[in-house]
Amino acid sequence: MFLLQRTRDNPDDQEPTARDVQTFTAARRIPRGRVGVVWISICAAPVMLAGLITFIVQNTDSVKVSFLGLGGTLPLAMALFLAMLSGTAVTLAIGAAFATRRRHLARKHAD
C-alpha cells in the first residue's frame, strides 16, 4: 500500500510520487450514485416548472401563425413551445441517425 507521508519507523522512506498520489486519490473517490442524480433532478424540476409557468403567464398575447399553407392564431407561449418541441424532435432525429451510423460503422470495423 502506498503511504503519502513518512512513517516514524523508517525516516528514510522516499517521498510519494505523482503516481502514488493519483492511485491513492482514485481509490478514495466515491462513485456517483443514482440517488444523487435523482435528488438533483427533483430539486431542479420545481425551479424549471416555475420558470415555465412564469413564461406562459407573461406571453399570453395571440400571434398569427402560418406554416405549410395552414394558418391560425395561437398564444405566443404556445407557438414558442411548439417551435421548441419541433426543434427538439429534429435534433433527436439527427442525433439518432448519427448514432445509428456510428454503431453500424463500429460493427463493420469490429468484424
Side-chain angles (χ1 to χ4, degrees):
M1 185 96 203
F2 300 110
L3 296 176
L4 295 180
Q5 57 186 343
R6 291 184 178 184
T7 59
R8 291 183 189 181
D9 297 337
N10 191 358
D12 295 330
D13 284 345
Q14 295 178 353
E15 289 293 321
T17 64
R19 184 177 177 147
D20 295 341
V21 173
Q22 289 174 351
T23 303
F24 181 74
T25 55
R28 294 190 63 206
R29 227 175 258 147
I30 298 172
R32 181 180 292 181
R34 292 182 186 172
V35 175
V37 173
V38 170
W39 181 250
I40 290 172
S41 300
I42 288 172
C43 291
V47 174
M48 293 176 62
L49 185 62
L52 181 64
I53 290 171
T54 304
F55 174 77
I56 290 170
V57 168
Q58 289 181 350
N59 293 294
T60 57
D61 296 336
S62 291
V63 292
K64 185 177 179 181
V65 178
S66 58
F67 181 70
L68 295 175
L70 301 172
T73 59
L74 287 173
L76 178 61
M78 182 61 73
L80 291 173
F81 185 70
L82 291 174
M84 181 202 63
L85 285 180
S86 61
T88 302
V90 168
T91 302
L92 288 174
I94 292 171
F98 278 119
T100 303
R101 176 76 176 148
R102 288 183 59 123
R103 196 175 306 124
H104 176 71
L105 289 174
R107 286 182 186 158
K108 184 177 178 180
H109 288 292
D111 292 338

